[in-house]
Amino acid sequence: MAWFKKDRKPIEAAKDKASRVPEGLWVKCPGCGQVIYNKDLLSTLHVCPKCAHHFRISAFERLKILFDGGKWDEHDRHLASTDPLDFTDTKPYKARLESGRRTTGLADAIIVGSGTIEGGPAIIAAMEYEFIGGSMGVVVGEKIARAIERGLSQKTPVIIVSCSGGARMMEGTLSLMQMAKICGPLARLDRAGVPYVSVLTDPTTGGVLASYAMLGDLNIAEPKAQIGFAGPRVIEQAIRQKLPEGFQRSEFLLDKGMLDMVVDRRELKSVLARALRFMGASS
């Protein structure tokens, strides 16, 4: 009886990198599971065309969307945090700062710029979540305070786009002081009759929510943004009650009167322009 041996080797995967699908070409929507071509997502301002899920975007992309022609003049770009407390938790604070700078290309968790929105002048401060969770430290507070003072001196509307985990614990009490430092200039801005619009995105929490994020003449949020001071688990443990579904989402807060509007990102620029004209901003 004859025996036959299979000598052929299994087919190997192609080693030509050019034949592989490039990484990041497709994105899966966490809201509906739809697989979206990345270029299509860019054309919809990072909003899912099927379920309108709003993907998180960078501070740079935010300013590019809102300012006319995607152009603005940046202010206080080189202000950078130090390590006043010589703080270390799982790793030194200085290492976290360096990591944030490498990841985002920013000196800290905010960009402040001035330009025009549908022809009307505006100053926008946009927070960057990828820089230590968009936390508010001394530099973030200083840059926002300077932006408000600039708006006051130039009689130019101020818009703050919040995307933050709250105050930066690595700077201790110094970070908490930023709440008062920002609220003071906002009060002067209000007395001068210069519009201030707060835009809350996913997430807006902690000391940011407890201060300037809720002090706008107009408070606008993106759809389904998480907005709250503390996490649901912490609140449930404190009050010993079951919380309603979605109680920290923008739609729930709008229903309870804590927000003025919930606006799709694709309509935000035009809504801001109309609101500023209505509030008497010059164009």
Side-chain angles (χ1 to χ4, degrees):
M1 183 176 180
W3 294 90
F4 296 92
K5 184 179 180 181
K6 189 175 182 180
D7 293 326
R8 288 185 300 173
K9 295 181 180 179
I11 298 173
E12 295 182 359
K15 294 181 180 180
D16 183 10
K17 291 184 179 180
S19 67
R20 298 174 59 187
V21 176
E23 189 175 350
L25 189 63
W26 300 88
V27 179
K28 185 175 181 180
C29 174
C32 64
Q34 176 84 3
V35 178
I36 311 166
Y37 186 42
N38 213 3
K39 287 187 177 179
D40 291 340
L41 195 60
L42 288 173
S43 68
T44 60
L45 306 184
H46 294 272
V47 177
C48 176
K50 183 177 180 180
C51 71
H53 171 81
H54 282 52
F55 289 79
R56 290 179 184 171
I57 60 176
S58 68
F60 178 85
E61 291 172 308
R62 181 75 59 180
L63 296 184
K64 190 175 179 181
I65 289 169
L66 295 179
F67 280 126
D68 292 340
K71 297 179 180 179
W72 65 91
D73 295 322
E74 189 172 347
H75 304 293
D76 307 310
R77 179 178 183 179
H78 300 295
L79 287 182
S81 291
T82 58
D83 186 9
L85 305 180
D86 194 24
F87 189 92
T88 300
D89 46 19
T90 54
K91 63 180 180 180
Y93 179 39
K94 288 180 181 177
R96 293 187 185 277
L97 288 171
E98 287 301 320
S99 175
R101 289 163 187 158
R102 286 195 306 270
T103 301
T104 65
L106 303 178
D108 214 288
I110 194 164
I111 304 176
V112 177
S114 58
T116 59
I117 300 176
E118 292 190 1
I123 296 171
I124 303 179
M127 304 189 73
E128 175 55 70
Y129 192 77
E130 291 299 314
F131 195 108
I132 315 182
S135 51
M136 176 182 61
V138 171
V139 168
V140 170
E142 179 66 18
K143 291 181 73 169
I144 292 177
R146 290 189 185 188
I148 298 166
E149 295 286 3
R150 188 173 287 110
L152 185 59
S153 65
Q154 299 175 359
K155 303 299 181 185
T156 301
V158 176
I159 300 168
I160 301 177
V161 183
S162 298
C163 184
S164 174
R168 190 173 298 174
M169 68 172 189
M170 290 77 87
E171 295 183 14
T173 305
L174 294 173
S175 65
L176 297 177
M177 290 170 61
Q178 307 312 306
M179 298 167 66
K181 185 168 78 174
I182 295 170
C183 291
L186 280 178
R188 294 195 294 275
L189 195 73
D190 179 60
R191 289 195 293 269
V194 180
Y196 161 50
V197 179
S198 177
V199 179
L200 297 85
T201 70
D202 182 58
T204 300
T205 61
V208 169
L209 179 74
S211 55
Y212 58 85
M214 295 301 290
L215 293 178
D217 298 312
L218 182 67
N219 293 327
I220 301 175
E222 288 189 337
K224 297 183 180 178
Q226 182 182 358
I227 301 168
F229 181 71
R233 181 174 55 85
V234 174
I235 298 173
E236 286 183 345
Q237 289 176 348
I239 67 175
R240 298 181 181 179
Q241 293 183 25
K242 185 66 177 176
L243 297 167
E245 185 70 25
F247 85 107
Q248 285 190 328
R249 296 295 170 179
S250 49
E251 290 77 8
F252 184 90
L253 297 180
L254 176 66
D255 183 58
K256 299 302 179 182
M258 293 187 68
L259 294 172
D260 298 304
M261 304 175 73
V262 174
V263 178
D264 189 292
R265 183 181 298 154
R266 293 164 289 187
E267 302 172 1
L268 183 58
K269 181 178 178 178
S270 61
V271 168
L272 286 173
R274 289 198 304 270
L276 293 179
R277 287 194 291 267
F278 177 80
M279 289 188 281
S282 60
S283 59

